Amino acid sequence: MNRTDVLDVAPSKPSPLKERAARYALLPLRIFLGVTFVYAGLDKLTDSAFLAATGDGSIGDQMRAVRDSSAIPAMVDMALEAPVAFGTVIALGELLVGLGVLVGLLTRIAALGGALIALSLWLTVSWAVSPYYYGNDLVYLIAWTPLIIAGAPYWSLDELIRSRRSLRTA
């Protein structure tokens, strides 16, 4: 068999099971990231130690601890001007991103928000982690990418809105 024989073979049609698996392939990622970000946001919002400018476990002390080892110390300095407000914004952002992805509402925008949160945490909190694969923020940044690209085409409010719009225009 030569090379042209291989190229002439038509691809076989995937089985219904493979089609269904491909259709829902991003659902586990969407559920994991959504639940994780909702949990992270709620955890921060309900932790009085975290939402403080100083003290053990406070956002302020955490930022001061990573300031000199971060990729962008000026970014940490900006957050340190109002650490409690910054911590609250991050927590609310995580909560909204997680809920958006879980219900599939504005999923691409929510995923972009999740990626931006992960990017900011990677550039600040986990930048100095060595080797890099021990830090989880980079992994979260990359994990959001498929949802930015594909959105939530199934089991989502985005899908419901699209289908109702198409029914109205039909």
Side-chain angles (χ1 to χ4, degrees):
M1 182 147 103
N2 64 36
R3 187 169 180 193
T4 57
D5 292 336
V6 173
L7 296 175
D8 289 340
V9 175
S12 62
K13 186 174 187 235
S15 70
L17 182 59
K18 284 184 180 179
E19 284 181 15
R20 180 171 285 177
R23 184 177 185 180
Y24 297 107
L26 292 179
L27 193 57
L29 182 62
R30 196 174 122 207
I31 292 168
F32 172 77
L33 290 172
V35 167
T36 300
F37 268 57
V38 166
Y39 176 70
L42 289 175
D43 191 41
K44 288 175 180 70
L45 290 171
T46 59
D47 183 354
S48 59
F50 177 80
L51 289 178
T54 60
D56 286 344
S58 70
I59 182 69
D61 281 2
Q62 288 179 27
M63 288 190 299
R64 281 185 282 283
V66 300
R67 189 228 177 257
D68 293 334
S69 62
S70 72
I72 308 173
M75 197 167 139
V76 179
D77 289 338
M78 283 183 356
L80 279 169
E81 290 178 21
V84 175
F86 176 77
T88 303
V89 166
I90 289 292
L92 289 172
E94 288 173 335
L95 184 60
L96 291 173
V97 162
L99 290 172
V101 168
L102 279 174
V103 300
L105 181 62
L106 302 172
T107 307
R108 286 188 171 105
I109 294 169
L112 180 61
L116 290 173
I117 290 170
L119 176 64
S120 68
L121 293 173
W122 177 55
L123 292 173
T124 56
V125 177
S126 61
W127 181 258
V129 173
S130 181
Y132 76 92
Y133 52 82
Y134 282 165
N136 61 354
D137 296 314
L138 180 59
V139 175
Y140 281 111
L141 171 61
I142 301 305
W144 284 111
T145 306
L147 294 176
I148 293 170
I149 295 168
Y154 303 103
W155 290 0
S156 68
L157 291 176
D158 290 341
E159 173 192 23
L160 182 66
I161 292 166
R162 266 191 310 274
S163 66
R164 290 207 173 161
R165 278 186 189 158
S166 65
L167 286 174
R168 282 188 210 146
T169 58

